[in-house]
Amino acid sequence: MGTRATSIRIHALSAGAMTSPLGGFLEGEHGRITYPVPVFVIEHPNGLVVVDSGLHPDLADDPSGLGPLAETFQVHLPDDGSAAVGRVLEIAGFDPDAVDLLVLTHLHFDHAGGVAQLPNARLVVQHLEWASRSDERAVSTGAYRPGDFDVGHDRLEIDGDYDLFGDGTVTLLLTDGHTAGHQSVRVRAEGGEFVLCGDCCYLRRTLVDEHLPPFGVDRTRQLVAIRRMKHLQRGGATLVFGHDPAQWATIVADGLGPGI
């Protein structure tokens, strides 16, 4: 028999926040937006999974490590290190050394900054994403910081959709366009079916209005990914958007539940 969804638990945890121009999320919009940097823990009978690893803790003291992007992104990390992924897990009752798998939706600095804090985890990343880790433009701008994530971990590179445990409970979905190998994560858990969109869908407005950001490696593929999210939502899945402050406030207040 396959694993029962009732044995799968998913937790949404805060790993700091950032502020940047709203026009970076929704092309043509004005003003600024402050938004969460989330990480997720999936408890599965066959392994402990973390999805994304937040920001590198050194950015709390020295945001200049972002290079040119330091002028665009204001990082909000407490000085006590409590938003670093390892400490976030400990506060939530998990042992960072016991994490079996670290799924990276993509390699941008706010998703792959804490890899070193999960020393025994095997990275799970799309092959095309890993192949882009040294992309000259992405590295020169600070979007990719290879020293954060290319630190010697064992690695599983996948191509396209992938059933992580072979039982249909945790499935990685290729949702490229934001980056060359962006992936989202569908989880069938005790509270229902959730899709961790990552940055293929920053905000609810991204989904509803199909309003794309001004950057990305392939706008056509971005739109395909957003429409895939819409299809999953119509099928009953609850979408957890990559950086939606309004949705995150609901998660903080009420927990991760269907229909948030």
Side-chain angles (χ1 to χ4, degrees):
M1 295 181 63
T3 306
R4 298 174 64 88
T6 52
S7 68
I8 313 299
R9 294 182 175 86
I10 181 171
H11 309 268
L13 307 176
S14 177
M18 294 195 298
T19 299
S20 62
L22 179 59
F25 282 6
L26 303 168
E27 186 171 18
E29 294 282 331
H30 300 285
R32 292 176 69 79
I33 181 173
T34 297
Y35 47 92
V37 175
V39 299
F40 300 89
V41 177
I42 302 167
E43 295 182 87
H44 188 282
N46 294 334
L48 186 65
V49 182
V50 169
V51 179
D52 285 340
S53 64
L55 295 151
H56 194 285
D58 286 353
L59 293 175
D61 301 318
D62 186 14
S64 67
L66 291 180
L69 289 184
E71 298 180 4
T72 302
F73 293 93
Q74 181 182 1
V75 173
H76 306 294
L77 291 173
D79 293 335
D80 62 3
S82 58
V85 65
R87 185 65 184 129
V88 167
L89 292 182
E90 290 175 342
I91 293 169
F94 299 101
D95 180 358
D97 292 349
V99 175
D100 298 290
L101 298 169
L102 172 55
V103 175
L104 296 175
T105 58
H106 60 302
L107 299 177
H108 278 166
F109 69 92
D110 56 324
H111 294 260
V115 170
Q117 297 176 52
L118 308 178
N120 301 316
R122 188 183 195 194
L123 302 187
V124 187
V125 63
Q126 291 285 333
H127 171 73
L128 286 174
E129 186 70 11
W130 193 257
S132 301
R133 68 191 182 281
S134 299
D135 177 82
E136 183 177 348
R137 182 176 182 277
V139 173
S140 66
T141 61
Y144 285 2
R145 294 175 14 126
D148 287 357
F149 54 78
D150 195 358
V151 291
H153 285 56
D154 186 28
R155 186 175 66 256
L156 173 62
E157 295 182 37
I158 62 175
D159 289 293
D161 294 359
Y162 185 81
D163 187 339
L164 195 59
F165 292 106
D167 58 13
T169 58
V170 182
T171 306
L172 311 185
L173 308 174
L174 179 64
T175 49
D176 56 323
H178 177 67
T179 62
H182 186 285
Q183 60 185 346
S184 303
V185 185
R186 185 184 68 202
V187 185
R188 290 174 172 148
E190 65 173 357
E193 181 175 321
F194 300 90
V195 179
L196 312 178
C197 297
D199 285 2
C200 88
C201 202
Y202 281 132
L203 309 170
R204 195 181 304 274
R205 283 182 61 191
T206 312
L207 179 85
V208 173
D209 301 333
E210 294 188 355
H211 193 156
L212 297 177
F215 55 83
V217 301
D218 189 323
R219 290 177 68 85
T220 298
R221 293 295 299 169
Q222 282 182 291
L223 189 57
V224 168
I226 289 171
R227 290 175 176 170
R228 187 177 194 187
M229 295 297 101
K230 283 187 173 183
H231 175 75
L232 291 168
Q233 186 182 59
R234 287 194 295 266
T238 295
L239 305 185
V240 184
F241 305 110
H243 295 289
D244 192 302
Q247 185 185 54
W248 192 254
T250 299
I251 292 172
V252 170
D254 302 325
L256 187 59
I260 53 171

